[in-house]
Amino acid sequence: MSAVRDRSLIGIVSLRIVTFTVLAMMLEFGIVLAEYWSNDADLGGFLIGQEAETLAEGIVVGKDRISFQMPAALAERYTMREDETDGDIFVRVRTSTGEVLFSNCEALCQRHFLPIEINPPTFWQREIAPGKPLSVAGGRSFRFGTQEVFVELAVLRDPHGFVTSVLLHELRDHLIIPMPLMFGLVAGATILSVRRALKPVVEAGKAADAIDPRAAFRPLSTEGMPREIANFANAVNRLLVRVADLIQAQKIFSTSIAHEIRTPVAVVRMELERIDDPRARKAEKDLEALTHMLEQLTSLAKLDVVDAASFKPVSLPGLASDVVAQLAPFVFNSGRTLEFVEEGGGEIRAVPALIENTISNLVENAVKHTPKGTHISVRTADLGVLDVADDGPGFGRSPSHILEGGRIKSSDALGVGLKIVERIAELHDAALTVESGDGEGTRVRLAFPVPQPALRESLT
């Protein structure tokens, strides 16, 4: 089934056209063969005419007279006959004056051929016995200048398979040669027409495959498409417009909700700061966690509306060092240490704000899920590698902290922060791996694709 799904529409239509063309040729071949085989009169006429032409090649026209020299290939077939046995063939070649140039029969010729004193018509035949094997007699005249020569034949029970030879000859002349030309032209023209008709569809399919959800919407072109497929393409265009509207609405919503909630939350925090009570401090922490979660969810929603124009060449080590410098006070105040290690890294094509978000999320997660005294490192290496690691306890292998395929499945582990990192890695075509073991710390690695030299020059 997968092989059928992988085939193109043009390939399927072309294969069916060729299949039905070959089938039509085979049916036509069978019908014509059956028609020839069932008509003994026509078979006899074809046999007499074909064999007479072959024998006429032995007629030699001299200055004074006409003679006949039996072709060497036919000498054994037409040896002299004195009796009529099962499966014989008799022949007589004579002129219009009654001179016999060749005969392989004596008295038997009088039984099957016209009297020698009678000049026969240009072509004649008669049935000796009905049915098959074919038994027929006849003759044909050939003119050489002013002289006429008659070649007469009598075939009894088809001793040399003349019928097969006649059928092959007629099928070759009337079917085997002209039919492939005709059906080949029809099939070729049809396939070419289908390909030309579906060319706009193929181009629309390529355009659809190349659609970047981050770029501005461009409708699929329906120019030159058949009406039925154009209607389908128009429906897809309407769907894409609807999706673009939804993405724009999501962008507006994610921006508005963060703005609308941030102000009342700030007011509540100010009021809580005035209350000297342990429960107020607990509420402040809960409010801070809620604010952080809200910011995370807002950031995650905004990732679905990243514009492709936002991507540009950036220095990975430079970007990482700047983020580490900004995060250092926060990390040290939390009782942990932070360092930046540059071992290469090079230039990558990215959205700087998203890479900064990635490093911040990973460092903040490391602070959140490790005890005081933990050392956190941010490292860049060649081939666009970014590592954020800590020497904390890790997430272990317990059922509540399962590490599968580089993803931590735990409600209190990396959580939404890792989901944001995954989405950013996906947008940048970066490979994301997460390594965490019991007591071995946690390492998150992103390997960004590094532009080739020629592409890097064009990007700059």
Side-chain angles (χ1 to χ4, degrees):
M1 291 297 293
S2 60
V4 176
R5 289 195 297 267
D6 292 340
R7 285 159 50 191
S8 66
L9 177 59
I10 294 177
I12 294 173
V13 174
S14 299
L15 178 61
R16 291 182 180 179
I17 291 173
V18 172
T19 300
F20 284 110
T21 298
V22 173
L23 179 60
M25 291 174 61
M26 294 176 63
L27 289 174
E28 183 70 15
F29 186 87
I31 291 171
V32 173
L33 181 63
E35 184 178 351
Y36 272 112
W37 177 260
S38 62
N39 194 328
D40 291 344
D42 285 347
L43 278 179
F46 292 139
L47 189 157
I48 297 298
Q50 181 177 313
E51 193 64 14
E53 284 186 2
T54 304
L55 288 167
E57 295 176 1
I59 298 175
V60 181
V61 180
K63 289 184 179 182
D64 301 328
R65 63 187 300 272
I66 293 180
S67 62
F68 179 81
Q69 181 66 41
M70 177 63 69
L74 303 178
E76 184 179 353
R77 182 187 298 179
Y78 294 106
T79 56
M80 188 66 69
R81 304 288 183 183
E82 294 296 338
D83 58 344
E84 187 175 309
T85 60
D86 236 9
D88 279 335
I89 179 170
F90 304 111
V91 62
R92 184 175 70 183
V93 181
R94 67 184 180 92
T95 64
S96 57
T97 59
E99 179 185 0
V100 177
L101 303 179
F102 175 83
S103 176
N104 71 341
C105 56
E106 296 295 342
L108 291 176
C109 288
Q110 302 299 325
R111 179 186 304 178
H112 299 299
F113 301 145
L114 297 177
I116 200 167
E117 62 272 10
I118 298 177
N119 285 336
T122 303
F123 180 87
W124 67 273
Q125 78 174 87
R126 70 180 182 85
E127 187 179 63
I128 297 175
K132 294 182 178 63
L134 202 63
S135 295
V136 64
R140 180 178 174 183
S141 66
F142 297 89
R143 181 170 292 277
F144 298 91
T146 59
Q147 302 185 62
E148 194 171 18
V149 179
F150 302 102
V151 179
E152 299 169 306
L153 292 162
V155 178
L156 305 178
R157 291 172 291 282
D158 193 11
H160 298 289
F162 287 113
V163 170
T164 301
S165 177
V166 167
L167 288 174
L168 291 177
H169 183 273
E170 294 301 320
L171 290 174
R172 183 196 65 189
D173 289 350
H174 298 95
L175 288 178
I176 296 178
I177 294 178
M179 274 181 48
L181 293 176
M182 181 182 66
F183 282 106
L185 179 61
V186 172
T190 304
I191 292 173
L192 180 61
S193 299
V194 171
R195 286 181 177 273
R196 290 179 64 88
L198 292 180
K199 185 178 180 180
V201 180
V202 175
E203 293 176 352
K206 293 179 180 179
D209 188 56
I211 289 177
D212 187 349
R214 298 166 298 180
F217 168 69
R218 292 182 180 179
L220 301 177
S221 174
T222 58
E223 183 178 356
M225 280 188 184
R227 183 178 65 255
E228 296 80 2
I229 301 178
N231 291 338
F232 175 76
N234 287 329
V236 173
N237 284 334
R238 290 193 296 270
L239 178 62
L240 292 176
V241 170
R242 177 59 177 160
V243 171
D245 291 342
L246 290 175
I247 292 176
Q248 183 63 23
Q250 178 181 336
K251 182 178 182 180
I252 296 173
F253 172 77
S254 60
T255 304
S256 300
I257 192 173
H259 176 74
E260 294 296 331
I261 295 180
R262 188 178 290 113
T263 301
V265 168
V267 173
V268 172
R269 292 184 63 179
M270 291 177 60
E271 295 297 328
L272 288 174
E273 289 176 356
R274 298 177 181 179
I275 301 175
D276 186 14
D277 190 283
R279 289 176 296 179
R281 306 287 81 78
K282 176 65 168 56
E284 285 181 355
K285 291 183 179 180
D286 292 341
L287 198 57
E288 182 179 350
L290 176 62
T291 303
H292 178 72
M293 177 61 69
L294 177 63
E295 291 174 350
Q296 294 281 61
L297 292 175
T298 303
S299 299
L300 184 61
K302 288 181 178 180
L303 291 178
D304 291 327
V305 290
V306 175
D307 191 351
S310 303
F311 287 78
K312 61 182 181 180
V314 295
S315 171
L316 183 60
L319 197 62
S321 63
D322 291 343
V323 177
V324 169
Q326 295 173 9
L327 293 174
F330 162 72
V331 176
F332 285 112
N333 288 336
S334 69
R336 291 139 182 103
T337 58
L338 176 66
E339 71 168 337
F340 171 66
V341 181
E342 180 180 351
E343 297 178 357
E347 190 177 78
I348 62 173
R349 187 170 183 268
V351 180
L354 296 184
I355 303 303
E356 294 173 356
N357 189 313
T358 298
I359 299 174
S360 298
N361 262 300
L362 293 176
V363 172
E364 289 174 4
N365 270 301
V367 171
K368 182 179 180 181
H369 299 291
T370 60
K372 292 184 177 181
T374 300
H375 179 69
I376 304 169
S377 67
V378 177
R379 184 178 68 92
T380 60
D382 290 334
L383 301 179
V385 173
L386 171 66
D387 275 347
V388 178
D390 64 68
D391 59 0
F395 294 109
R397 301 289 180 178
S398 64
S400 61
H401 301 91
I402 301 174
L403 183 64
E404 291 182 355
R407 181 178 179 84
I408 303 296
K409 292 186 176 181
S410 172
S411 59
D412 60 346
L414 296 186
V416 180
L418 180 59
K419 184 61 180 177
I420 293 174
V421 173
E422 287 180 345
R423 182 63 181 138
I424 293 174
E426 181 182 346
L427 290 173
H428 290 80
D429 296 325
L432 172 66
T433 56
V434 180
E435 301 173 0
S436 184
D438 192 6
E440 299 177 2
T442 301
R443 178 187 300 274
V444 180
R445 169 171 293 184
L446 288 91
F448 296 90
V450 179
Q452 298 298 323
L455 178 59
R456 189 182 299 118
E457 293 177 4
S458 66
L459 290 175
T460 56

PDB file of all heavy atoms in Angstrom, residues 406-434:
ATOM      1  N   GLY A 406      15.766  11.814  25.453  1.00  0.00           N
ATOM      2  CA  GLY A 406      16.208  13.176  25.707  1.00  0.00           C
ATOM      3  C   GLY A 406      15.129  14.062  26.290  1.00  0.00           C
ATOM      4  O   GLY A 406      15.258  15.275  26.309  1.00  0.00           O
ATOM      5  N   ARG A 407      14.032  13.487  26.814  1.00  0.00           N
ATOM      6  CA  ARG A 407      12.945  14.314  27.370  1.00  0.00           C
ATOM      7  C   ARG A 407      12.652  13.861  28.799  1.00  0.00           C
ATOM      8  O   ARG A 407      12.467  12.674  29.071  1.00  0.00           O
ATOM      9  CB  ARG A 407      11.694  14.168  26.516  1.00  0.00           C
ATOM     10  CG  ARG A 407      10.535  15.032  27.020  1.00  0.00           C
ATOM     11  CD  ARG A 407       9.332  14.903  26.114  1.00  0.00           C
ATOM     12  NE  ARG A 407       8.224  15.691  26.590  1.00  0.00           N
ATOM     13  CZ  ARG A 407       8.063  16.976  26.347  1.00  0.00           C
ATOM     14  NH1 ARG A 407       8.937  17.606  25.592  1.00  0.00           N
ATOM     15  NH2 ARG A 407       7.031  17.645  26.819  1.00  0.00           N
ATOM     16  N   ILE A 408      12.612  14.816  29.724  1.00  0.00           N
ATOM     17  CA  ILE A 408      12.308  14.512  31.122  1.00  0.00           C
ATOM     18  C   ILE A 408      10.804  14.504  31.313  1.00  0.00           C
ATOM     19  O   ILE A 408      10.135  15.503  31.091  1.00  0.00           O
ATOM     20  CB  ILE A 408      12.934  15.549  32.067  1.00  0.00           C
ATOM     21  CG1 ILE A 408      14.445  15.627  31.843  1.00  0.00           C
ATOM     22  CG2 ILE A 408      12.635  15.218  33.510  1.00  0.00           C
ATOM     23  CD1 ILE A 408      15.177  14.372  32.177  1.00  0.00           C
ATOM     24  N   LYS A 409      10.257  13.336  31.673  1.00  0.00           N
ATOM     25  CA  LYS A 409       8.817  13.231  31.892  1.00  0.00           C
ATOM     26  C   LYS A 409       8.545  13.349  33.389  1.00  0.00           C
ATOM     27  O   LYS A 409       8.496  12.369  34.114  1.00  0.00           O
ATOM     28  CB  LYS A 409       8.290  11.895  31.354  1.00  0.00           C
ATOM     29  CG  LYS A 409       8.365  11.789  29.839  1.00  0.00           C
ATOM     30  CD  LYS A 409       7.707  10.523  29.371  1.00  0.00           C
ATOM     31  CE  LYS A 409       7.672  10.446  27.856  1.00  0.00           C
ATOM     32  NZ  LYS A 409       7.021   9.227  27.364  1.00  0.00           N
ATOM     33  N   SER A 410       8.381  14.558  33.840  1.00  0.00           N
ATOM     34  CA  SER A 410       8.123  14.775  35.258  1.00  0.00           C
ATOM     35  C   SER A 410       7.474  16.128  35.449  1.00  0.00           C
ATOM     36  O   SER A 410       7.835  17.107  34.807  1.00  0.00           O
ATOM     37  CB  SER A 410       9.439  14.717  36.050  1.00  0.00           C
ATOM     38  OG  SER A 410       9.222  15.094  37.379  1.00  0.00           O
ATOM     39  N   SER A 411       6.506  16.176  36.332  1.00  0.00           N
ATOM     40  CA  SER A 411       5.802  17.440  36.557  1.00  0.00           C
ATOM     41  C   SER A 411       6.672  18.444  37.301  1.00  0.00           C
ATOM     42  O   SER A 411       6.454  19.640  37.208  1.00  0.00           O
ATOM     43  CB  SER A 411       4.517  17.180  37.356  1.00  0.00           C
ATOM     44  OG  SER A 411       4.838  16.572  38.592  1.00  0.00           O
ATOM     45  N   ASP A 412       7.673  17.976  38.062  1.00  0.00           N
ATOM     46  CA  ASP A 412       8.486  18.908  38.819  1.00  0.00           C
ATOM     47  C   ASP A 412       9.920  18.944  38.310  1.00  0.00           C
ATOM     48  O   ASP A 412      10.819  19.398  38.997  1.00  0.00           O
ATOM     49  CB  ASP A 412       8.478  18.526  40.306  1.00  0.00           C
ATOM     50  CG  ASP A 412       9.041  17.121  40.538  1.00  0.00           C
ATOM     51  OD1 ASP A 412       9.180  16.373  39.540  1.00  0.00           O
ATOM     52  OD2 ASP A 412       9.347  16.799  41.693  1.00  0.00           O
ATOM     53  N   ALA A 413      10.163  18.450  37.100  1.00  0.00           N
ATOM     54  CA  ALA A 413      11.513  18.468  36.540  1.00  0.00           C
ATOM     55  C   ALA A 413      11.678  19.709  35.679  1.00  0.00           C
ATOM     56  O   ALA A 413      11.448  20.821  36.125  1.00  0.00           O
ATOM     57  CB  ALA A 413      11.770  17.191  35.753  1.00  0.00           C
ATOM     58  N   LEU A 414      12.041  19.539  34.401  1.00  0.00           N
ATOM     59  CA  LEU A 414      12.273  20.707  33.556  1.00  0.00           C
ATOM     60  C   LEU A 414      10.983  21.378  33.127  1.00  0.00           C
ATOM     61  O   LEU A 414      10.977  22.550  32.798  1.00  0.00           O
ATOM     62  CB  LEU A 414      13.096  20.300  32.328  1.00  0.00           C
ATOM     63  CG  LEU A 414      14.508  19.787  32.636  1.00  0.00           C
ATOM     64  CD1 LEU A 414      15.253  19.568  31.343  1.00  0.00           C
ATOM     65  CD2 LEU A 414      15.270  20.753  33.515  1.00  0.00           C
ATOM     66  N   GLY A 415       9.870  20.633  33.053  1.00  0.00           N
ATOM     67  CA  GLY A 415       8.559  21.217  32.822  1.00  0.00           C
ATOM     68  C   GLY A 415       8.430  22.035  31.560  1.00  0.00           C
ATOM     69  O   GLY A 415       8.938  21.696  30.503  1.00  0.00           O
ATOM     70  N   VAL A 416       7.710  23.161  31.690  1.00  0.00           N
ATOM     71  CA  VAL A 416       7.443  24.022  30.547  1.00  0.00           C
ATOM     72  C   VAL A 416       8.734  24.588  29.980  1.00  0.00           C
ATOM     73  O   VAL A 416       8.862  24.823  28.776  1.00  0.00           O
ATOM     74  CB  VAL A 416       6.484  25.158  30.945  1.00  0.00           C
ATOM     75  CG1 VAL A 416       6.192  26.069  29.753  1.00  0.00           C
ATOM     76  CG2 VAL A 416       5.182  24.586  31.483  1.00  0.00           C
ATOM     77  N   GLY A 417       9.720  24.824  30.842  1.00  0.00           N
ATOM     78  CA  GLY A 417      10.992  25.360  30.368  1.00  0.00           C
ATOM     79  C   GLY A 417      11.619  24.474  29.315  1.00  0.00           C
ATOM     80  O   GLY A 417      12.127  24.955  28.295  1.00  0.00           O
ATOM     81  N   LEU A 418      11.586  23.155  29.539  1.00  0.00           N
ATOM     82  CA  LEU A 418      12.145  22.239  28.540  1.00  0.00           C
ATOM     83  C   LEU A 418      11.307  22.248  27.274  1.00  0.00           C
ATOM     84  O   LEU A 418      11.848  22.168  26.162  1.00  0.00           O
ATOM     85  CB  LEU A 418      12.223  20.819  29.112  1.00  0.00           C
ATOM     86  CG  LEU A 418      12.801  19.780  28.138  1.00  0.00           C
ATOM     87  CD1 LEU A 418      14.209  20.146  27.709  1.00  0.00           C
ATOM     88  CD2 LEU A 418      12.765  18.389  28.745  1.00  0.00           C
ATOM     89  N   LYS A 419       9.995  22.367  27.418  1.00  0.00           N
ATOM     90  CA  LYS A 419       9.134  22.430  26.241  1.00  0.00           C
ATOM     91  C   LYS A 419       9.476  23.653  25.391  1.00  0.00           C
ATOM     92  O   LYS A 419       9.502  23.576  24.151  1.00  0.00           O
ATOM     93  CB  LYS A 419       7.663  22.482  26.691  1.00  0.00           C
ATOM     94  CG  LYS A 419       6.681  22.458  25.533  1.00  0.00           C
ATOM     95  CD  LYS A 419       6.814  21.173  24.725  1.00  0.00           C
ATOM     96  CE  LYS A 419       5.825  21.150  23.570  1.00  0.00           C
ATOM     97  NZ  LYS A 419       5.976  19.957  22.735  1.00  0.00           N
ATOM     98  N   ILE A 420       9.765  24.779  26.043  1.00  0.00           N
ATOM     99  CA  ILE A 420      10.159  25.982  25.311  1.00  0.00           C
ATOM    100  C   ILE A 420      11.482  25.745  24.591  1.00  0.00           C
ATOM    101  O   ILE A 420      11.660  26.110  23.426  1.00  0.00           O
ATOM    102  CB  ILE A 420      10.269  27.181  26.272  1.00  0.00           C
ATOM    103  CG1 ILE A 420       8.877  27.535  26.820  1.00  0.00           C
ATOM    104  CG2 ILE A 420      10.904  28.376  25.597  1.00  0.00           C
ATOM    105  CD1 ILE A 420       8.896  28.612  27.873  1.00  0.00           C
ATOM    106  N   VAL A 421      12.434  25.113  25.297  1.00  0.00           N
ATOM    107  CA  VAL A 421      13.735  24.820  24.680  1.00  0.00           C
ATOM    108  C   VAL A 421      13.560  23.896  23.483  1.00  0.00           C
ATOM    109  O   VAL A 421      14.191  24.075  22.434  1.00  0.00           O
ATOM    110  CB  VAL A 421      14.693  24.203  25.720  1.00  0.00           C
ATOM    111  CG1 VAL A 421      15.984  23.748  25.058  1.00  0.00           C
ATOM    112  CG2 VAL A 421      14.993  25.208  26.831  1.00  0.00           C
ATOM    113  N   GLU A 422      12.703  22.885  23.630  1.00  0.00           N
ATOM    114  CA  GLU A 422      12.450  21.961  22.512  1.00  0.00           C
ATOM    115  C   GLU A 422      11.887  22.695  21.304  1.00  0.00           C
ATOM    116  O   GLU A 422      12.294  22.447  20.162  1.00  0.00           O
ATOM    117  CB  GLU A 422      11.478  20.861  22.954  1.00  0.00           C
ATOM    118  CG  GLU A 422      12.083  19.839  23.880  1.00  0.00           C
ATOM    119  CD  GLU A 422      11.066  18.779  24.273  1.00  0.00           C
ATOM    120  OE1 GLU A 422       9.855  19.020  24.060  1.00  0.00           O
ATOM    121  OE2 GLU A 422      11.473  17.728  24.780  1.00  0.00           O
ATOM    122  N   ARG A 423      10.943  23.589  21.561  1.00  0.00           N
ATOM    123  CA  ARG A 423      10.327  24.323  20.459  1.00  0.00           C
ATOM    124  C   ARG A 423      11.334  25.248  19.781  1.00  0.00           C
ATOM    125  O   ARG A 423      11.362  25.360  18.548  1.00  0.00           O
ATOM    126  CB  ARG A 423       9.147  25.136  21.013  1.00  0.00           C
ATOM    127  CG  ARG A 423       8.389  25.922  19.959  1.00  0.00           C
ATOM    128  CD  ARG A 423       7.742  25.018  18.944  1.00  0.00           C
ATOM    129  NE  ARG A 423       7.039  25.789  17.936  1.00  0.00           N
ATOM    130  CZ  ARG A 423       7.055  25.529  16.644  1.00  0.00           C
ATOM    131  NH1 ARG A 423       7.754  24.502  16.197  1.00  0.00           N
ATOM    132  NH2 ARG A 423       6.377  26.263  15.794  1.00  0.00           N
ATOM    133  N   ILE A 424      12.175  25.911  20.572  1.00  0.00           N
ATOM    134  CA  ILE A 424      13.204  26.781  19.993  1.00  0.00           C
ATOM    135  C   ILE A 424      14.195  25.957  19.179  1.00  0.00           C
ATOM    136  O   ILE A 424      14.625  26.369  18.091  1.00  0.00           O
ATOM    137  CB  ILE A 424      13.921  27.574  21.105  1.00  0.00           C
ATOM    138  CG1 ILE A 424      12.939  28.565  21.756  1.00  0.00           C
ATOM    139  CG2 ILE A 424      15.141  28.300  20.559  1.00  0.00           C
ATOM    140  CD1 ILE A 424      13.508  29.301  22.952  1.00  0.00           C
ATOM    141  N   ALA A 425      14.577  24.782  19.688  1.00  0.00           N
ATOM    142  CA  ALA A 425      15.490  23.910  18.942  1.00  0.00           C
ATOM    143  C   ALA A 425      14.865  23.474  17.619  1.00  0.00           C
ATOM    144  O   ALA A 425      15.534  23.436  16.576  1.00  0.00           O
ATOM    145  CB  ALA A 425      15.838  22.683  19.794  1.00  0.00           C
ATOM    146  N   GLU A 426      13.577  23.175  17.659  1.00  0.00           N
ATOM    147  CA  GLU A 426      12.877  22.775  16.438  1.00  0.00           C
ATOM    148  C   GLU A 426      12.854  23.911  15.413  1.00  0.00           C
ATOM    149  O   GLU A 426      13.070  23.682  14.216  1.00  0.00           O
ATOM    150  CB  GLU A 426      11.457  22.343  16.791  1.00  0.00           C
ATOM    151  CG  GLU A 426      10.631  21.876  15.602  1.00  0.00           C
ATOM    152  CD  GLU A 426       9.211  21.507  15.991  1.00  0.00           C
ATOM    153  OE1 GLU A 426       8.952  21.369  17.205  1.00  0.00           O
ATOM    154  OE2 GLU A 426       8.372  21.377  15.084  1.00  0.00           O
ATOM    155  N   LEU A 427      12.612  25.130  15.872  1.00  0.00           N
ATOM    156  CA  LEU A 427      12.580  26.279  14.967  1.00  0.00           C
ATOM    157  C   LEU A 427      13.938  26.513  14.313  1.00  0.00           C
ATOM    158  O   LEU A 427      14.016  26.997  13.179  1.00  0.00           O
ATOM    159  CB  LEU A 427      12.157  27.542  15.724  1.00  0.00           C
ATOM    160  CG  LEU A 427      10.693  27.608  16.178  1.00  0.00           C
ATOM    161  CD1 LEU A 427      10.469  28.827  17.065  1.00  0.00           C
ATOM    162  CD2 LEU A 427       9.768  27.675  14.960  1.00  0.00           C
ATOM    163  N   HIS A 428      15.025  26.156  15.009  1.00  0.00           N
ATOM    164  CA  HIS A 428      16.376  26.383  14.497  1.00  0.00           C
ATOM    165  C   HIS A 428      16.975  25.119  13.870  1.00  0.00           C
ATOM    166  O   HIS A 428      18.157  25.117  13.513  1.00  0.00           O
ATOM    167  CB  HIS A 428      17.294  26.867  15.621  1.00  0.00           C
ATOM    168  CG  HIS A 428      16.995  28.261  16.094  1.00  0.00           C
ATOM    169  ND1 HIS A 428      15.973  28.541  16.970  1.00  0.00           N
ATOM    170  CD2 HIS A 428      17.571  29.455  15.787  1.00  0.00           C
ATOM    171  CE1 HIS A 428      15.942  29.848  17.205  1.00  0.00           C
ATOM    172  NE2 HIS A 428      16.884  30.436  16.497  1.00  0.00           N
ATOM    173  N   ASP A 429      16.152  24.050  13.736  1.00  0.00           N
ATOM    174  CA  ASP A 429      16.650  22.778  13.189  1.00  0.00           C
ATOM    175  C   ASP A 429      17.845  22.264  13.980  1.00  0.00           C
ATOM    176  O   ASP A 429      18.790  21.682  13.419  1.00  0.00           O
ATOM    177  CB  ASP A 429      17.033  22.929  11.708  1.00  0.00           C
ATOM    178  CG  ASP A 429      15.837  23.252  10.836  1.00  0.00           C
ATOM    179  OD1 ASP A 429      14.753  22.750  11.139  1.00  0.00           O
ATOM    180  OD2 ASP A 429      16.004  24.006   9.855  1.00  0.00           O
ATOM    181  N   ALA A 430      17.826  22.483  15.291  1.00  0.00           N
ATOM    182  CA  ALA A 430      18.925  22.052  16.154  1.00  0.00           C
ATOM    183  C   ALA A 430      18.584  20.708  16.803  1.00  0.00           C
ATOM    184  O   ALA A 430      17.423  20.427  17.103  1.00  0.00           O
ATOM    185  CB  ALA A 430      19.196  23.099  17.225  1.00  0.00           C
ATOM    186  N   ALA A 431      19.617  19.905  17.020  1.00  0.00           N
ATOM    187  CA  ALA A 431      19.443  18.613  17.695  1.00  0.00           C
ATOM    188  C   ALA A 431      19.539  18.825  19.207  1.00  0.00           C
ATOM    189  O   ALA A 431      20.529  19.379  19.699  1.00  0.00           O
ATOM    190  CB  ALA A 431      20.499  17.624  17.226  1.00  0.00           C
ATOM    191  N   LEU A 432      18.501  18.362  19.930  1.00  0.00           N
ATOM    192  CA  LEU A 432      18.448  18.548  21.386  1.00  0.00           C
ATOM    193  C   LEU A 432      18.606  17.211  22.078  1.00  0.00           C
ATOM    194  O   LEU A 432      17.915  16.247  21.756  1.00  0.00           O
ATOM    195  CB  LEU A 432      17.112  19.191  21.778  1.00  0.00           C
ATOM    196  CG  LEU A 432      16.820  19.287  23.290  1.00  0.00           C
ATOM    197  CD1 LEU A 432      17.806  20.231  23.961  1.00  0.00           C
ATOM    198  CD2 LEU A 432      15.384  19.728  23.533  1.00  0.00           C
ATOM    199  N   THR A 433      19.528  17.132  23.043  1.00  0.00           N
ATOM    200  CA  THR A 433      19.698  15.925  23.853  1.00  0.00           C
ATOM    201  C   THR A 433      19.775  16.329  25.322  1.00  0.00           C
ATOM    202  O   THR A 433      20.323  17.379  25.670  1.00  0.00           O
ATOM    203  CB  THR A 433      20.979  15.154  23.470  1.00  0.00           C
ATOM    204  OG1 THR A 433      22.109  16.029  23.579  1.00  0.00           O
ATOM    205  CG2 THR A 433      20.897  14.633  22.038  1.00  0.00           C
ATOM    206  N   VAL A 434      19.200  15.481  26.173  1.00  0.00           N
ATOM    207  CA  VAL A 434      19.206  15.712  27.612  1.00  0.00           C
ATOM    208  C   VAL A 434      19.796  14.484  28.284  1.00  0.00           C
ATOM    209  O   VAL A 434      19.344  13.361  28.048  1.00  0.00           O
ATOM    210  CB  VAL A 434      17.779  15.970  28.153  1.00  0.00           C
ATOM    211  CG1 VAL A 434      17.816  16.202  29.664  1.00  0.00           C
ATOM    212  CG2 VAL A 434      17.149  17.154  27.451  1.00  0.00           C
TER     213      VAL A 434
END
